[in-house]
Amino acid sequence: MEAALILGLTLALNLAGNDRVGLFDRDEPRYAVAVREMRASGDWMIPSFNGEPRYHKPIFAYWLMGATTAVFGDTPFGVRLVSALAGSALCLGVWALARAAVGPRAGLVAALAMATAPLVFVESKLATTDATLALFLLGCQACLWVLHQRPSTRAAAGFWILLSLATLTKGPVGPAFLAAAGLATWAFGGPTAGWSRLQYRWGVATFLVLTAPWYILVGVITKGEFYRFAVGDQVVRRVTTGMEEHGGFPGYYLVMVLGTFHPWSALLPAALLAAWSRRKANPTLGFLMGWIVGPWLMLECVRTKLVHYYYPSLPACALLVAWLVELVARDEVSLRRWPLGRLAVGLLGGVAMTGVVGLAAGAFVLPSPLFLPLMLTAALLAAGTLAAIERFHTGATHRAAQALAISWALALFVTASWTMPAAEPFRMPLLVGERLGDLASKHKAEPILFSFQEPSIIYALKQPAAQAFSRPALYERVRSSGLAIAAVTPKELSVLLKDTSLKVDVCEDLSGFNLNKGMSQTIHFALLRPGDSMAIRNDPAVEKASVK
Protein backbone atom coordinates (compact mmCIF):
# COMPACT_ATOMS: atom_id res chain seq x y z
CA MET A 1 0.00 0.00 0.00
CA GLU A 2 2.76 2.46 0.90
CA ALA A 3 4.69 1.65 -2.28
CA ALA A 4 1.57 2.28 -4.40
CA LEU A 5 0.96 5.60 -2.61
CA ILE A 6 4.55 6.74 -3.21
CA LEU A 7 4.50 5.66 -6.86
CA GLY A 8 1.19 7.41 -7.51
CA LEU A 9 2.30 10.64 -5.80
CA THR A 10 5.68 10.83 -7.52
CA LEU A 11 4.29 10.07 -10.97
CA ALA A 12 1.59 12.71 -10.50
CA LEU A 13 4.21 15.31 -9.56
CA ASN A 14 6.83 14.26 -12.10
CA LEU A 15 4.51 14.00 -15.11
CA ALA A 16 2.10 16.86 -14.44
CA GLY A 17 2.32 19.58 -17.06
CA ASN A 18 5.26 18.07 -18.93
CA ASP A 19 3.34 18.04 -22.22
CA ARG A 20 2.31 21.71 -21.82
CA VAL A 21 5.64 23.21 -20.78
CA GLY A 22 8.45 23.79 -23.27
CA LEU A 23 12.04 22.79 -22.61
CA PHE A 24 14.09 24.99 -20.30
CA ASP A 25 17.39 26.49 -21.34
CA ARG A 26 20.09 25.56 -21.40
CA ASP A 27 20.56 21.86 -20.78
CA GLU A 28 17.17 20.39 -21.70
CA PRO A 29 17.21 21.53 -25.37
CA ARG A 30 20.80 20.36 -25.72
CA TYR A 31 19.86 16.80 -24.79
CA ALA A 32 16.64 16.89 -26.82
CA VAL A 33 18.35 18.20 -29.96
CA ALA A 34 21.16 15.68 -29.58
CA VAL A 35 18.67 12.81 -29.36
CA ARG A 36 16.77 14.17 -32.37
CA GLU A 37 19.96 14.40 -34.45
CA MET A 38 21.07 10.92 -33.40
CA ARG A 39 17.71 9.51 -34.49
CA ALA A 40 17.98 11.35 -37.81
CA SER A 41 21.56 10.26 -38.53
CA GLY A 42 21.35 6.77 -37.08
CA ASP A 43 24.62 7.41 -35.23
CA TRP A 44 24.02 6.28 -31.63
CA MET A 45 27.69 6.39 -30.64
CA ILE A 46 28.51 10.12 -30.66
CA PRO A 47 25.93 12.77 -29.70
CA SER A 48 25.78 16.00 -31.66
CA PHE A 49 24.12 19.37 -31.12
CA ASN A 50 23.30 21.72 -33.97
CA GLY A 51 25.33 19.52 -36.29
CA GLU A 52 28.47 19.65 -34.12
CA PRO A 53 29.79 16.80 -31.90
CA ARG A 54 28.73 17.12 -28.26
CA TYR A 55 31.33 15.62 -25.92
CA HIS A 56 29.93 16.97 -22.64
CA LYS A 57 28.49 13.71 -21.27
CA PRO A 58 28.75 9.96 -21.94
CA ILE A 59 26.13 8.11 -23.92
CA PHE A 60 23.68 6.25 -21.69
CA ALA A 61 21.23 9.10 -21.01
CA TYR A 62 20.94 9.73 -24.76
CA TRP A 63 20.10 6.08 -25.33
CA LEU A 64 17.39 6.18 -22.68
CA MET A 65 15.89 9.38 -24.11
CA GLY A 66 16.07 7.88 -27.56
CA ALA A 67 13.92 4.98 -26.36
CA THR A 68 11.28 7.19 -24.72
CA THR A 69 11.04 9.59 -27.67
CA ALA A 70 10.67 6.62 -30.03
CA VAL A 71 7.51 5.68 -28.12
CA PHE A 72 6.11 9.08 -27.08
CA GLY A 73 7.47 11.26 -29.86
CA ASP A 74 10.00 14.08 -30.15
CA THR A 75 8.19 16.15 -27.55
CA PRO A 76 9.01 17.65 -24.14
CA PHE A 77 6.95 14.86 -22.54
CA GLY A 78 8.87 12.16 -24.40
CA VAL A 79 12.34 13.50 -23.67
CA ARG A 80 11.52 14.18 -19.99
CA LEU A 81 10.02 10.77 -19.30
CA VAL A 82 13.39 9.23 -18.38
CA SER A 83 13.91 11.69 -15.53
CA ALA A 84 10.29 11.37 -14.39
CA LEU A 85 10.55 7.59 -14.10
CA ALA A 86 14.00 7.80 -12.51
CA GLY A 87 12.70 10.28 -9.92
CA SER A 88 9.82 7.99 -9.02
CA ALA A 89 12.13 4.98 -8.80
CA LEU A 90 14.49 7.02 -6.62
CA CYS A 91 11.72 7.71 -4.08
CA LEU A 92 10.70 4.05 -4.07
CA GLY A 93 14.34 3.08 -3.53
CA VAL A 94 14.60 5.49 -0.59
CA TRP A 95 11.42 3.96 0.87
CA ALA A 96 12.83 0.42 0.61
CA LEU A 97 16.26 1.34 2.01
CA ALA A 98 14.76 3.34 4.88
CA ARG A 99 12.52 0.43 5.89
CA ALA A 100 15.50 -1.91 5.93
CA ALA A 101 18.15 0.37 7.43
CA VAL A 102 16.18 2.67 9.75
CA GLY A 103 12.84 1.02 10.49
CA PRO A 104 9.50 0.10 8.88
CA ARG A 105 7.75 3.35 9.83
CA ALA A 106 10.64 5.48 8.60
CA GLY A 107 10.19 4.34 5.00
CA LEU A 108 7.10 6.44 4.31
CA VAL A 109 8.55 9.58 5.94
CA ALA A 110 11.80 9.27 3.98
CA ALA A 111 10.01 8.69 0.67
CA LEU A 112 7.65 11.63 1.21
CA ALA A 113 10.60 13.85 2.13
CA MET A 114 12.29 12.94 -1.16
CA ALA A 115 9.14 13.29 -3.24
CA THR A 116 8.32 16.77 -1.91
CA ALA A 117 11.85 18.23 -1.83
CA PRO A 118 12.06 21.06 -4.41
CA LEU A 119 15.35 19.89 -5.98
CA VAL A 120 14.09 16.32 -6.41
CA PHE A 121 10.88 17.67 -7.95
CA VAL A 122 12.77 19.90 -10.39
CA GLU A 123 15.35 17.31 -11.46
CA SER A 124 12.60 14.70 -11.98
CA LYS A 125 10.98 17.04 -14.50
CA LEU A 126 14.09 18.05 -16.45
CA ALA A 127 15.51 16.15 -19.41
CA THR A 128 19.02 15.89 -17.97
CA THR A 129 21.24 13.20 -16.46
CA ASP A 130 20.88 14.09 -12.78
CA ALA A 131 17.83 12.06 -11.75
CA THR A 132 19.17 8.99 -13.54
CA LEU A 133 22.62 9.35 -11.95
CA ALA A 134 21.09 9.78 -8.47
CA LEU A 135 19.04 6.59 -8.96
CA PHE A 136 22.10 4.54 -9.95
CA LEU A 137 24.16 5.88 -7.03
CA LEU A 138 21.33 5.16 -4.60
CA GLY A 139 21.35 1.59 -5.91
CA CYS A 140 25.11 1.36 -5.34
CA GLN A 141 24.76 2.61 -1.78
CA ALA A 142 21.90 0.19 -1.12
CA CYS A 143 24.07 -2.69 -2.35
CA LEU A 144 26.89 -1.54 -0.09
CA TRP A 145 24.54 -1.40 2.89
CA VAL A 146 23.43 -5.01 2.23
CA LEU A 147 27.08 -6.04 1.96
CA HIS A 148 27.86 -4.31 5.24
CA GLN A 149 25.35 -6.66 6.86
CA ARG A 150 26.38 -9.91 5.16
CA PRO A 151 28.17 -11.30 2.08
CA SER A 152 25.92 -11.34 -0.98
CA THR A 153 26.90 -12.21 -4.55
CA ARG A 154 23.71 -10.62 -5.83
CA ALA A 155 24.41 -7.33 -4.03
CA ALA A 156 28.02 -7.29 -5.27
CA ALA A 157 26.89 -7.87 -8.84
CA GLY A 158 24.26 -5.16 -8.51
CA PHE A 159 26.88 -2.70 -7.26
CA TRP A 160 29.19 -3.21 -10.24
CA ILE A 161 26.37 -3.10 -12.80
CA LEU A 162 24.91 0.09 -11.32
CA LEU A 163 28.36 1.67 -11.06
CA SER A 164 28.87 0.92 -14.75
CA LEU A 165 25.55 2.59 -15.64
CA ALA A 166 26.45 5.61 -13.50
CA THR A 167 29.80 5.90 -15.28
CA LEU A 168 28.12 5.64 -18.69
CA THR A 169 25.70 8.36 -17.58
CA LYS A 170 28.04 10.99 -16.16
CA GLY A 171 31.60 9.72 -16.29
CA PRO A 172 33.84 9.58 -13.20
CA VAL A 173 31.43 11.59 -11.05
CA GLY A 174 29.68 8.44 -9.82
CA PRO A 175 32.80 6.59 -8.61
CA ALA A 176 34.12 9.81 -7.04
CA PHE A 177 30.88 10.30 -5.10
CA LEU A 178 30.95 6.76 -3.74
CA ALA A 179 34.63 7.00 -2.80
CA ALA A 180 34.08 10.28 -0.93
CA ALA A 181 31.10 8.81 0.93
CA GLY A 182 33.06 5.64 1.76
CA LEU A 183 36.02 7.56 3.18
CA ALA A 184 33.77 9.72 5.33
CA THR A 185 31.87 6.66 6.54
CA TRP A 186 35.16 5.12 7.66
CA ALA A 187 36.14 8.36 9.40
CA PHE A 188 32.82 8.44 11.28
CA GLY A 189 33.25 4.85 12.42
CA GLY A 190 30.53 3.56 10.14
CA PRO A 191 30.43 0.10 8.55
CA THR A 192 33.15 -0.66 5.98
CA ALA A 193 32.81 -4.42 5.58
CA GLY A 194 30.81 -4.01 2.39
CA TRP A 195 33.78 -2.59 0.52
CA SER A 196 35.79 -5.75 1.21
CA ARG A 197 32.90 -7.97 0.08
CA LEU A 198 32.57 -6.51 -3.42
CA GLN A 199 34.37 -9.51 -4.98
CA TYR A 200 36.75 -7.33 -6.98
CA ARG A 201 38.19 -10.17 -9.06
CA TRP A 202 35.11 -10.63 -11.19
CA GLY A 203 33.43 -7.35 -10.17
CA VAL A 204 36.01 -5.11 -11.82
CA ALA A 205 35.94 -7.34 -14.90
CA THR A 206 32.15 -6.99 -15.08
CA PHE A 207 32.44 -3.23 -14.76
CA LEU A 208 35.00 -3.03 -17.57
CA VAL A 209 33.05 -5.33 -19.88
CA LEU A 210 29.98 -3.12 -19.53
CA THR A 211 31.71 0.26 -19.52
CA ALA A 212 34.88 0.06 -21.60
CA PRO A 213 33.50 -0.74 -25.11
CA TRP A 214 31.81 2.62 -25.62
CA TYR A 215 34.68 4.59 -24.07
CA ILE A 216 37.19 2.80 -26.31
CA LEU A 217 35.10 3.21 -29.46
CA VAL A 218 34.39 6.89 -28.88
CA GLY A 219 38.10 7.51 -28.30
CA VAL A 220 39.01 5.77 -31.55
CA ILE A 221 36.24 7.38 -33.63
CA THR A 222 36.98 10.90 -32.39
CA LYS A 223 40.76 10.36 -32.43
CA GLY A 224 40.96 11.27 -28.77
CA GLU A 225 39.03 14.52 -29.08
CA PHE A 226 36.32 13.23 -26.76
CA TYR A 227 38.85 12.73 -23.95
CA ARG A 228 40.57 16.05 -24.58
CA PHE A 229 37.25 17.81 -24.10
CA ALA A 230 35.51 15.54 -21.57
CA VAL A 231 38.52 15.25 -19.28
CA GLY A 232 40.38 18.50 -19.94
CA ASP A 233 37.36 20.81 -20.13
CA GLN A 234 34.55 19.09 -18.26
CA VAL A 235 36.59 17.62 -15.39
CA VAL A 236 39.85 19.52 -14.94
CA ARG A 237 38.41 22.98 -15.64
CA ARG A 238 35.37 22.37 -13.44
CA VAL A 239 37.62 21.38 -10.55
CA THR A 240 40.10 24.23 -10.94
CA THR A 241 37.94 27.11 -12.22
CA GLY A 242 34.37 28.38 -11.91
CA MET A 243 33.17 27.44 -15.39
CA GLU A 244 30.55 29.67 -17.04
CA GLU A 245 30.62 31.93 -13.97
CA HIS A 246 29.31 29.10 -11.76
CA GLY A 247 31.55 29.77 -8.80
CA GLY A 248 30.48 29.76 -5.18
CA PHE A 249 31.40 30.80 -1.66
CA PRO A 250 32.66 28.42 1.06
CA GLY A 251 29.69 26.54 2.48
CA TYR A 252 27.72 27.06 -0.73
CA TYR A 253 26.00 23.67 -0.56
CA LEU A 254 25.04 24.07 3.11
CA VAL A 255 23.12 27.22 2.21
CA MET A 256 21.64 25.78 -0.97
CA VAL A 257 20.37 22.64 0.78
CA LEU A 258 18.30 24.85 3.11
CA GLY A 259 16.19 25.85 0.11
CA THR A 260 16.45 22.89 -2.23
CA PHE A 261 15.64 20.29 0.46
CA HIS A 262 13.18 22.46 2.40
CA PRO A 263 11.11 21.87 4.50
CA TRP A 264 13.01 18.74 5.55
CA SER A 265 16.37 20.52 5.61
CA ALA A 266 15.19 22.36 8.72
CA LEU A 267 15.50 19.05 10.62
CA LEU A 268 18.94 18.16 9.26
CA PRO A 269 21.13 19.96 11.89
CA ALA A 270 19.24 18.26 14.74
CA ALA A 271 19.38 14.93 12.91
CA LEU A 272 23.13 15.17 12.31
CA LEU A 273 23.81 16.10 15.95
CA ALA A 274 21.67 13.22 17.22
CA ALA A 275 23.33 10.80 14.77
CA TRP A 276 26.81 11.93 15.85
CA SER A 277 26.09 11.16 19.50
CA ARG A 278 24.61 7.73 18.68
CA ARG A 279 26.84 6.62 15.81
CA LYS A 280 28.84 4.10 17.89
CA ALA A 281 25.73 2.31 19.07
CA ASN A 282 24.15 2.37 15.58
CA PRO A 283 26.71 1.97 12.73
CA THR A 284 24.03 2.75 10.12
CA LEU A 285 24.13 6.35 11.33
CA GLY A 286 27.83 6.55 10.46
CA PHE A 287 26.97 5.20 7.02
CA LEU A 288 24.34 7.93 6.46
CA MET A 289 26.58 10.68 7.86
CA GLY A 290 29.40 9.61 5.55
CA TRP A 291 27.02 9.69 2.59
CA ILE A 292 26.01 13.25 3.52
CA VAL A 293 29.34 14.76 4.60
CA GLY A 294 31.86 13.04 2.28
CA PRO A 295 30.41 14.28 -1.05
CA TRP A 296 29.82 17.72 0.47
CA LEU A 297 33.51 18.07 1.39
CA MET A 298 34.52 16.85 -2.06
CA LEU A 299 32.23 19.32 -3.83
CA GLU A 300 33.43 22.20 -1.68
CA CYS A 301 36.89 21.59 -3.15
CA VAL A 302 35.54 21.90 -6.71
CA ARG A 303 35.61 25.48 -8.00
CA THR A 304 32.59 25.11 -10.27
CA LYS A 305 29.50 24.91 -8.06
CA LEU A 306 25.95 24.10 -9.13
CA VAL A 307 23.03 23.23 -6.89
CA HIS A 308 22.30 19.85 -8.48
CA TYR A 309 25.83 18.53 -7.94
CA TYR A 310 24.83 17.55 -4.38
CA TYR A 311 21.62 15.83 -5.50
CA PRO A 312 22.88 12.20 -5.09
CA SER A 313 23.34 12.81 -1.34
CA LEU A 314 19.74 13.87 -0.73
CA PRO A 315 18.55 10.25 -0.21
CA ALA A 316 20.83 10.04 2.84
CA CYS A 317 19.43 13.35 4.09
CA ALA A 318 15.90 11.95 3.74
CA LEU A 319 16.81 8.77 5.61
CA LEU A 320 18.43 10.68 8.45
CA VAL A 321 15.47 13.07 8.75
CA ALA A 322 13.07 10.10 8.83
CA TRP A 323 15.18 8.53 11.57
CA LEU A 324 14.97 11.73 13.64
CA VAL A 325 11.19 11.98 13.14
CA GLU A 326 10.76 8.42 14.42
CA LEU A 327 13.11 9.07 17.35
CA VAL A 328 11.29 12.23 18.47
CA ALA A 329 7.88 10.62 17.94
CA ARG A 330 8.87 7.60 20.02
CA ASP A 331 9.89 9.80 22.94
CA GLU A 332 6.64 11.79 22.60
CA VAL A 333 8.32 15.13 23.31
CA SER A 334 8.13 18.54 21.68
CA LEU A 335 10.76 19.08 19.00
CA ARG A 336 11.69 22.33 20.73
CA ARG A 337 13.02 20.33 23.68
CA TRP A 338 15.30 18.29 21.40
CA PRO A 339 18.94 19.36 20.92
CA LEU A 340 18.88 21.94 18.10
CA GLY A 341 15.10 21.54 18.03
CA ARG A 342 14.56 25.28 18.41
CA LEU A 343 16.86 25.83 15.46
CA ALA A 344 14.81 23.33 13.43
CA VAL A 345 11.56 25.15 14.17
CA GLY A 346 13.22 28.50 13.43
CA LEU A 347 14.59 27.30 10.09
CA LEU A 348 11.26 25.75 9.18
CA GLY A 349 9.42 29.01 9.75
CA GLY A 350 12.14 31.36 8.52
CA VAL A 351 12.86 29.69 5.18
CA ALA A 352 9.16 29.13 4.54
CA MET A 353 8.36 32.77 5.31
CA THR A 354 11.04 33.91 2.87
CA GLY A 355 9.58 31.68 0.16
CA VAL A 356 5.99 32.77 0.85
CA VAL A 357 6.93 36.46 0.70
CA GLY A 358 8.84 35.86 -2.54
CA LEU A 359 5.88 34.06 -4.12
CA ALA A 360 3.47 36.79 -3.05
CA ALA A 361 5.75 39.49 -4.42
CA GLY A 362 6.08 37.59 -7.69
CA ALA A 363 2.30 37.36 -7.94
CA PHE A 364 2.06 41.16 -7.99
CA VAL A 365 5.13 41.84 -10.14
CA LEU A 366 4.84 39.14 -12.80
CA PRO A 367 2.17 39.02 -15.53
CA SER A 368 -1.44 38.63 -14.34
CA PRO A 369 -1.96 34.98 -15.46
CA LEU A 370 0.56 33.97 -12.78
CA PHE A 371 -1.20 35.81 -9.93
CA LEU A 372 -3.67 33.14 -8.81
CA PRO A 373 -1.37 30.08 -8.98
CA LEU A 374 1.44 31.91 -7.16
CA MET A 375 -0.89 33.14 -4.44
CA LEU A 376 -2.41 29.66 -4.04
CA THR A 377 1.07 28.15 -3.74
CA ALA A 378 2.04 30.73 -1.12
CA ALA A 379 -1.16 30.03 0.86
CA LEU A 380 -0.57 26.26 0.79
CA LEU A 381 3.01 26.58 2.02
CA ALA A 382 2.08 29.06 4.74
CA ALA A 383 -0.79 26.90 6.01
CA GLY A 384 1.25 23.71 5.95
CA THR A 385 4.20 25.30 7.74
CA LEU A 386 2.05 26.83 10.48
CA ALA A 387 0.24 23.53 11.02
CA ALA A 388 3.54 21.65 11.21
CA ILE A 389 5.10 24.09 13.69
CA GLU A 390 2.03 23.88 15.96
CA ARG A 391 2.16 20.07 15.92
CA PHE A 392 5.91 19.99 16.55
CA HIS A 393 5.25 22.19 19.60
CA THR A 394 2.68 19.76 21.02
CA GLY A 395 4.74 16.64 20.35
CA ALA A 396 2.58 15.36 17.48
CA THR A 397 5.67 14.71 15.35
CA HIS A 398 4.11 12.31 12.84
CA ARG A 399 1.20 14.68 12.24
CA ALA A 400 3.66 17.54 11.73
CA ALA A 401 5.55 15.57 9.07
CA GLN A 402 2.20 14.69 7.49
CA ALA A 403 1.21 18.38 7.30
CA LEU A 404 4.49 19.26 5.60
CA ALA A 405 4.21 16.41 3.08
CA ILE A 406 0.60 17.21 2.13
CA SER A 407 1.07 20.97 1.81
CA TRP A 408 4.27 20.67 -0.23
CA ALA A 409 2.83 17.96 -2.48
CA LEU A 410 -0.16 20.19 -3.24
CA ALA A 411 2.05 23.25 -3.79
CA LEU A 412 4.34 21.39 -6.17
CA PHE A 413 1.39 19.94 -8.07
CA VAL A 414 -0.06 23.45 -8.52
CA THR A 415 3.34 24.60 -9.76
CA ALA A 416 3.59 21.80 -12.31
CA SER A 417 0.02 21.78 -13.58
CA TRP A 418 -0.89 25.48 -13.39
CA THR A 419 1.94 27.93 -12.73
CA MET A 420 4.44 26.59 -15.25
CA PRO A 421 1.93 26.22 -18.13
CA ALA A 422 0.62 29.73 -17.37
CA ALA A 423 4.16 31.08 -17.78
CA GLU A 424 4.61 29.67 -21.30
CA PRO A 425 3.48 32.80 -23.17
CA PHE A 426 6.21 34.77 -21.42
CA ARG A 427 9.17 32.57 -22.27
CA MET A 428 10.67 34.68 -25.03
CA PRO A 429 13.34 32.28 -26.38
CA LEU A 430 10.72 29.63 -27.16
CA LEU A 431 8.51 32.16 -28.94
CA VAL A 432 11.48 33.53 -30.87
CA GLY A 433 12.55 30.06 -32.00
CA GLU A 434 9.10 29.07 -33.22
CA ARG A 435 8.54 32.34 -35.08
CA LEU A 436 12.04 32.39 -36.56
CA GLY A 437 11.43 28.96 -38.05
CA ASP A 438 8.10 30.01 -39.55
CA LEU A 439 9.51 33.20 -41.08
CA ALA A 440 12.59 31.42 -42.44
CA SER A 441 10.33 28.96 -44.24
CA LYS A 442 8.02 31.73 -45.50
CA HIS A 443 10.82 33.89 -46.94
CA LYS A 444 13.07 30.96 -47.91
CA ALA A 445 15.86 32.53 -45.85
CA GLU A 446 18.59 30.86 -43.83
CA PRO A 447 17.99 31.30 -40.08
CA ILE A 448 21.03 32.67 -38.28
CA LEU A 449 21.42 32.90 -34.51
CA PHE A 450 23.11 36.18 -33.74
CA SER A 451 22.24 37.69 -30.34
CA PHE A 452 19.60 35.15 -29.37
CA GLN A 453 21.52 31.87 -29.20
CA GLU A 454 19.63 29.91 -26.54
CA PRO A 455 19.54 26.14 -27.25
CA SER A 456 15.72 26.18 -27.06
CA ILE A 457 15.68 28.24 -30.25
CA ILE A 458 17.52 25.47 -32.09
CA TYR A 459 15.09 22.92 -30.66
CA ALA A 460 12.11 24.99 -31.85
CA LEU A 461 13.64 25.41 -35.32
CA LYS A 462 13.78 21.60 -35.69
CA GLN A 463 16.91 21.92 -37.82
CA PRO A 464 20.57 22.96 -37.35
CA ALA A 465 21.10 26.71 -37.59
CA ALA A 466 24.19 28.78 -38.31
CA GLN A 467 25.54 30.67 -35.31
CA ALA A 468 27.32 34.01 -35.66
CA PHE A 469 29.18 35.11 -32.56
CA SER A 470 30.43 38.38 -34.09
CA ARG A 471 29.49 40.84 -36.80
CA PRO A 472 32.22 39.61 -39.20
CA ALA A 473 30.87 36.07 -38.78
CA LEU A 474 27.36 37.40 -39.45
CA TYR A 475 28.55 39.12 -42.64
CA GLU A 476 30.17 35.92 -43.85
CA ARG A 477 27.02 33.87 -43.30
CA VAL A 478 24.86 36.46 -45.08
CA ARG A 479 27.29 36.61 -48.01
CA SER A 480 27.33 32.83 -48.40
CA SER A 481 23.55 32.39 -48.08
CA GLY A 482 22.41 35.45 -50.02
CA LEU A 483 19.35 35.86 -47.81
CA ALA A 484 19.25 35.24 -44.09
CA ILE A 485 16.97 36.02 -41.17
CA ALA A 486 17.97 36.75 -37.58
CA ALA A 487 16.29 37.80 -34.35
CA VAL A 488 17.89 40.98 -33.00
CA THR A 489 17.30 43.48 -30.20
CA PRO A 490 16.42 47.13 -30.99
CA LYS A 491 19.95 48.25 -30.12
CA GLU A 492 21.50 45.68 -32.46
CA LEU A 493 19.03 46.58 -35.18
CA SER A 494 20.04 50.25 -35.06
CA VAL A 495 23.69 49.27 -35.55
CA LEU A 496 22.93 46.94 -38.45
CA LEU A 497 20.77 49.56 -40.22
CA LYS A 498 23.72 51.97 -40.29
CA ASP A 499 26.05 49.37 -41.82
CA THR A 500 26.22 49.55 -45.62
CA SER A 501 27.61 46.02 -45.72
CA LEU A 502 24.07 44.75 -45.19
CA LYS A 503 20.59 45.40 -46.52
CA VAL A 504 18.26 45.05 -43.57
CA ASP A 505 14.47 44.71 -43.77
CA VAL A 506 12.40 44.13 -40.62
CA CYS A 507 9.63 41.70 -41.48
CA GLU A 508 8.07 41.30 -38.04
CA ASP A 509 8.34 42.35 -34.39
CA LEU A 510 7.71 40.32 -31.26
CA SER A 511 6.98 42.19 -28.03
CA GLY A 512 6.09 40.93 -24.58
CA PHE A 513 7.26 40.13 -21.09
CA ASN A 514 10.44 38.05 -21.08
CA LEU A 515 10.24 35.84 -17.98
CA ASN A 516 13.90 34.85 -18.34
CA LYS A 517 15.02 38.46 -17.94
CA GLY A 518 12.13 39.67 -15.76
CA MET A 519 11.22 42.60 -18.02
CA SER A 520 9.32 43.56 -21.16
CA GLN A 521 11.29 43.17 -24.37
CA THR A 522 10.95 43.65 -28.13
CA ILE A 523 12.66 41.45 -30.68
CA HIS A 524 12.91 42.27 -34.39
CA PHE A 525 13.06 39.61 -37.09
CA ALA A 526 15.38 41.08 -39.71
CA LEU A 527 15.90 39.84 -43.26
CA LEU A 528 19.55 40.30 -44.16
CA ARG A 529 21.04 40.59 -47.67
CA PRO A 530 24.55 41.52 -48.84
CA GLY A 531 24.86 45.30 -49.16
CA ASP A 532 26.64 47.31 -51.86
CA SER A 533 29.91 47.62 -49.95
CA MET A 534 29.91 43.89 -49.25
CA ALA A 535 29.36 43.19 -52.94
CA ILE A 536 32.26 45.49 -53.87
CA ARG A 537 34.55 43.83 -51.34
CA ASN A 538 33.75 40.45 -52.82
CA ASP A 539 34.06 41.49 -56.47
CA PRO A 540 37.02 39.56 -57.99
CA ALA A 541 38.18 42.56 -60.05
CA VAL A 542 38.30 44.77 -56.99
CA GLU A 543 40.16 42.11 -54.99
CA LYS A 544 42.67 41.70 -57.85
CA ALA A 545 43.23 45.45 -58.10
CA SER A 546 43.71 45.64 -54.35
CA VAL A 547 46.38 42.96 -54.49
CA LYS A 548 48.22 44.82 -57.24
Side-chain angles (χ1 to χ4, degrees), residues 133-495:
L133 176 69
L135 175 62
F136 293 149
L137 293 183
L138 170 66
C140 288
Q141 292 283 45
C143 290
L144 279 174
W145 185 84
V146 171
L147 291 169
H148 290 324
Q149 313 307 310
R150 64 186 184 279
S152 171
T153 301
R154 180 179 298 180
F159 174 88
W160 292 110
I161 292 171
L162 290 167
L163 183 62
S164 172
L165 296 178
T167 307
L168 285 169
T169 299
K170 212 165 182 178
V173 172
F177 236 88
L178 294 175
L183 286 172
T185 296
W186 169 78
F188 287 131
T192 57
W195 289 96
S196 62
R197 294 170 177 168
L198 281 173
Q199 304 189 36
Y200 292 93
R201 181 175 299 177
W202 58 262
V204 173
T206 301
F207 173 80
L208 292 175
V209 166
L210 294 175
T211 311
W214 181 80
Y215 277 98
I216 293 173
L217 284 173
V218 75
V220 172
I221 294 172
T222 65
K223 299 180 180 178
E225 186 60 31
F226 171 82
Y227 292 104
R228 283 189 288 273
F229 182 85
V231 177
D233 191 87
Q234 293 296 293
V235 177
V236 176
R237 281 190 60 204
R238 285 183 187 276
V239 171
T240 59
T241 65
M243 283 186 62
E244 299 175 354
E245 300 181 359
H246 294 311
F249 50 86
Y252 170 87
Y253 292 101
L254 293 180
V255 175
M256 292 299 105
V257 166
L258 284 178
T260 58
F261 193 57
H262 189 80
W264 314 101
S265 58
L267 303 176
L268 265 180
L272 285 166
L273 179 61
W276 172 262
S277 63
R278 293 165 174 81
R279 70 190 189 284
K280 293 182 180 179
N282 186 351
T284 297
L285 298 177
F287 173 69
L288 296 178
M289 292 177 64
W291 190 350
I292 292 171
V293 176
W296 166 65
L297 292 175
M298 178 188 72
L299 291 173
E300 285 293 339
C301 297
V302 176
R303 296 286 297 277
T304 300
K305 289 178 170 56
L306 290 170
V307 173
H308 61 267
Y309 285 0
Y310 192 68
Y311 181 26
S313 281
L314 291 191
C317 297
L319 265 69
L320 203 59
V321 164
W323 169 77
L324 178 70
V325 168
E326 294 304 313
L327 194 62
V328 176
R330 185 193 65 192
D331 290 352
E332 297 181 346
V333 297
S334 168
L335 180 63
R336 289 173 61 88
R337 298 179 59 185
W338 203 261
L340 295 185
R342 291 179 181 272
L343 175 63
V345 174
L347 288 174
L348 182 62
V351 177
M353 181 62 67
T354 302
V356 168
V357 170
L359 288 169
F364 286 96
V365 173
L366 296 176
S368 58
L370 297 175
F371 180 83
L372 285 178
L374 288 176
M375 290 301 291
L376 177 57
T377 303
L380 287 169
L381 297 183
T385 301
L386 291 175
I389 290 175
E390 187 273 331
R391 291 169 182 177
F392 276 131
H393 275 307
T394 60
T397 306
H398 278 132
R399 294 181 61 201
Q402 183 183 58
L404 290 176
I406 292 174
S407 60
W408 273 86
L410 290 173
L412 293 177
F413 186 78
V414 169
T415 300
S417 60
W418 188 359
T419 310
M420 293 167 65
E424 281 298 281
F426 311 105
R427 296 179 58 199
M428 189 70 78
L430 290 175
L431 302 177
V432 168
E434 293 171 358
R435 197 65 196 131
L436 185 63
D438 292 340
L439 292 173
S441 177
K442 176 182 177 180
H443 294 281
K444 296 181 173 54
E446 179 189 14
I448 295 179
L449 303 185
F450 182 42
S451 58
F452 265 71
Q453 302 217 11
E454 297 292 349
S456 59
I457 297 179
I458 298 173
Y459 178 80
L461 284 172
K462 298 183 179 180
Q463 64 180 15
Q467 294 177 277
F469 295 96
S470 63
R471 285 172 60 191
L474 177 66
Y475 299 154
E476 178 61 27
R477 292 303 309 181
V478 172
R479 186 193 67 78
S480 62
S481 64
L483 177 62
I485 185 169
V488 296
T489 63
K491 182 178 180 180
E492 292 163 338
L493 178 63
S494 64
V495 173

